[in-house]
Amino acid sequence: MESPQIAEITKPLAYNQGFYNLFLAIEIALGIVLVIADQRAVGLTLVLVGTGSMVAAGLVLMLSDRSKTSAALKQLLPPFLAILAIVVAQLA
């Protein structure tokens, strides 16, 4: 199969993935805005759900295809560190 054919087949998947990532970004940004607006519980919940989803997606990628471990770690490490920072800040 040639590249244009592969591109046409995978185009709907990439389109869907792009919107999935956009919705996660909006969720996290809204959470940050709500925390700033002193709506901490709702804001932190949105941020933690969004970043937790990113971590989970990275784990699924890594577990489904070990050859993608490097990409999965790049995908899941920043949101994992954000979760860790939020939890540590809440315990302090």
Side-chain angles (χ1 to χ4, degrees), residues 1 10 14-15 21 23 26 38 40-41 44 50 53 55-56 59 63 69 76 79 83 91:
M1 199 177 287
T10 59
Y15 185 78
N21 290 334
F23 297 145
I26 291 169
D38 205 28
R40 294 183 58 82
L44 288 175
S53 295
V55 170
L59 290 172
L63 295 173
T69 297
L76 71 84
I83 291 169
L91 295 176

Side-chain angles (χ1 to χ4, degrees), residues 51-80:
T51 53
S53 295
M54 292 175 177
V55 170
L59 290 172
V60 168
L61 177 60
M62 186 168 39
L63 295 173
S64 67
D65 186 348
R66 295 287 183 182
S67 71
K68 298 205 175 14
T69 297
S70 177
L73 289 173
K74 290 173 188 165
Q75 176 180 332
L76 71 84
L77 192 57
F80 176 76

Side-chain angles (χ1 to χ4, degrees), residues 35-57:
V35 168
I36 292 168
D38 205 28
Q39 298 294 316
R40 294 183 58 82
V42 175
L44 288 175
T45 299
L46 286 172
V47 172
L48 290 172
V49 168
T51 53
S53 295
M54 292 175 177
V55 170

